[in-house]
Every structure is written in structure tokens, then in C-alpha cells.
Amino acid sequence: MNRRAKFWPGRLSTRASVYLAVVALLCVASYLALHDAVRYAPAPSDFGIDHAPPPALSDWIASKSGLSFVRHGPMTAARLGARGADSASPSFVQAGFAVPAGADALRVDLHAGAEALQPGNEAWQSAWVQIFSFDARGRLLWYWPKTVLRLDAPGAFGPVSAVVPLNDTIAGAFIVAFNGADAGTLEIGPPSVTYLVERPFAAFLRQALVVAWIAAGVWLAGGVIRGAANWVRAGFVIGSVAIALGGALMPQPTFRQVSAPLEAWTLQVANAIFYRAPEVAEPALPDLTVPETAQTEAIRTESAEPRTTQQESLGEAGDAANALAVPPRPDYPVTFKQLGHFAAFFLLGLTAIAAFPNASWPDRLTCLAGFAIATECLQWFVVTRTGQIVDLIADGAGLTLAVAAALLAKRFMPARVLPARATPATGERP
């Protein structure tokens, strides 16, 4: 037996093939059913008519420098100058507005372009248009910033559109446009906000798909329990699956409350080990506190809407809006969330490999990769979560390390510690 066959025995089983087909079918069906064009329809014309940012950009809150206005035909656009290579204070414009009850999503339409844009080294050092959301108490919901536009190079002035899902927690939002590039200008036309509602048939499809995903999960759990070497190992696998699913499907505000203390501690430890640069005072960031203007007064104004109390409290969101236009500068190539993905799937890979010592490697890897893809697809059902390729890459990295550790253990650890694969003919161990 050659070395490759020794470390890569077996073929993909029928059960693993069926499992992969079921996951692929559910992912495709979920993508089609939850696509914006299928899921949403425009709300009635009078729906949320008073819940929109000011139509004129001159009425928006803006930086004191780097801002001018230019005409594009009948449209007056804001021109935002670059922050400059030696400054951390980009020019910005922003506007807040209350979100009406009953809205399932909003669509932002605007025109934007850039001239002679030269981005900096950090992710935020380019031209951005983002949306931030707040709850009824004025607390920032970490589902956003939701990126409407990012420009890293010059681009012609043209239309841009983005659909942003909503839920009952979201009571208000801010649109923020800023130019964090080293040089060049960002031009944006006044955005318009259109509220959307979910189509009844799309809601039925979404609920049916939730049931289908649950049924597939129960089927998979039954296969784990029946096929594992023993109940203890099966329990470890199911526990690892529960951790991965919990982290993927937990609403973002709740997830942030759970993860923020651990993230702060992890960053503190990482800084102590890897980042011992002398402390330097950071340049002052722009003050984006929302002043008492007609805009915030309108948000606070009582109305017949069910969210009167929420609208009154939205003015408090201005305090949390400080420095939102400049996302924190990343000091490390990976984020805490990506480390969480990596750790969860490393743990899942180890427990799954140990639980099925007689399974072929193609079966193991197919099932694990299918589960990683499924967790990203399932986030489409959670308004405050989004499936991302970078998270899938982190999942794959965790699984790869788990496989490498298992292969090394198989190569160097004695057979009494890691049981050998049973022969198909007799069931006896070689």
C-alpha cells in the first residue's frame, strides 16, 4: 500500500453523498426563496413617508471642512475631500431617521462616484457609504455597519442600490458617507429610502425551509448517534455542532453582549504578546454627535405610529454615533469572529474524527465541509447575520488543522490510543 492510500483510504459512501446533496439542495432553495427580488415588495406609497433622511444633503450633519457641493444635471451632490495621509479625520455627511413599525427591509438608492481616489493601507481608508442601526433605547446594534458602497479606485458618478433587512429590534438608522482615502474626492447624491414588506408567499417558503432544515438536522443527528463509536463521542460531536450553530445563528446584538468581554480580553492578551509598540496618542476623530436640530426633533416628535416611545428615545443614539464614520483600525490580519469560526470548526473536526474511527476520510471531510457551508447558508434566515466567504475560509482552516492533527496522531501514536480502521471483510482489526 502506498503512502497516499495509507492516509486517504476509502471512497465517498452513499450516505455521505445523500447528505451532501440534501445540504446543496437546501442551500440553493434558501438562496432563491430569500433573494431580495423574490422576498420583498414595495410597501404602500404612504408607508413610512415621514421616516426618511432629509432629501437635501445640505440639511445633513457634516464635517466642517472638506465638504462642498457640485451639480450633476438636476441633482446636487455632496463632494467629500480626502482625509489626507497625515490625518485620521475624514470628511463625512450623515443623517438619522426613525424606522416605521411593520417594515421588513429598506432599499437605499443613491448616486455616487469618485475622482482621483487613492485609498490608504487600512480597510477604512477609502470611500464608504454605510448604515448603522439603533434600538429603541438608542443602543448601537452591531448588525451594522451595513455597507452600501465602498470605493477603492476612481469611479464614474452613477446609481447605487442596496437592500437592508430589518427586524422589530431596529427603531432607527443613520446613513453615513465618509472619505477616508489619502487623496481624491467622493461625490454622493441625496439617498432615497424605500420601505419593503415581505410577500406572503415568500414568508410561507421561508417557514417551510426552516422546517426542512430542522428535519435535515434531526436526520443528521440520528446518523451521528447511530454511527459513532460510542455515546460519549457522539455527545461530543453533537455538542460541538451546537456550539457552531449557536455562534452562527445567535442574533448579532445578543452575540455581541456575549462575545464583547471575551474579545476585549483576547485583544489585550494579543497586544501584550505581539504588539508592543510604544503608546502614541491617536489623532482626534470627528465628533459625530447628533445635535438638536430639526432632524432629531422630527425623530422625537410624537405621532400616531406605534413607535412613539421609540422615536422619542432615538435622540440618545447621537451619543453612540461618535466616531462611527471611522471603523476601528485593524491591528491584526484576522478578526475575533474569524478566530471563533476557526476554533469552533477545529473542535468539531477533532471530535468528529475521533467519533468515527472507521469512517473513510472522504466521508468525514464531505460531512464536515457540508456542515460548514450549511452554517453560512442558515445565517440568511437571521436578519442580523450574513453568510460570508471569509468565515467559510476560517471554518476550512479550522477543519484543515484538525485533519492535520489527526493524521499526525495516526502516524506517530500507538494503535492502542487510536484504534485502527476495521477491515470490510471480517470486521477484525488488522
Side-chain angles (χ1 to χ4, degrees), residues 47-54 95-101 103 106 134-135 166 170-174 193 195 295-296 298-301 303 305 307-308 310-315:
F47 183 90
I49 192 171
D50 297 326
H51 300 74
F97 55 96
V99 174
L106 61 84
F134 296 87
D135 64 10
L166 304 171
I170 298 170
F174 281 84
V193 172
Y195 289 101
Q295 175 186 322
T296 52
I299 292 178
R300 292 174 181 267
T301 301
S303 67
E305 295 287 340
R307 293 193 176 188
T308 299
Q310 295 176 346
Q311 292 174 354
E312 289 176 350
S313 64
L314 272 178

Side-chain angles (χ1 to χ4, degrees), residues 146-291:
K146 181 76 171 180
T147 300
V148 176
L149 170 71
R150 176 181 176 181
L151 291 175
D152 293 318
F157 190 82
V160 178
S161 182
V163 174
V164 182
L166 304 171
N167 65 9
D168 293 337
T169 307
I170 298 170
F174 281 84
I175 298 180
V176 180
F178 69 93
N179 186 2
D182 290 344
T185 59
L186 167 67
E187 295 179 359
I188 65 164
S192 63
V193 172
T194 304
Y195 289 101
L196 308 174
V197 293
E198 190 174 32
R199 292 185 171 95
F201 181 68
F204 169 77
L205 286 179
R206 176 171 52 82
Q207 294 168 0
L209 283 168
V210 169
V211 173
W213 276 108
I214 293 174
V218 171
W219 170 66
L220 177 61
V224 170
I225 293 174
R226 291 192 304 271
N230 54 56
W231 285 85
V232 175
R233 297 188 185 186
F236 277 115
V237 173
I238 293 176
S240 300
V241 167
I243 291 174
L245 282 177
L249 302 182
M250 186 182 298
Q252 192 65 275
T254 305
F255 180 79
R256 287 291 302 181
Q257 291 178 1
V258 174
S259 66
L262 182 59
E263 181 176 358
W265 177 81
T266 303
L267 185 61
Q268 185 178 12
V269 172
N271 286 340
I273 298 174
F274 300 109
Y275 195 70
R276 298 184 178 180
E279 294 186 2
V280 178
E282 291 287 339
L285 299 179
D287 182 8
L288 304 185
T289 302
V290 181

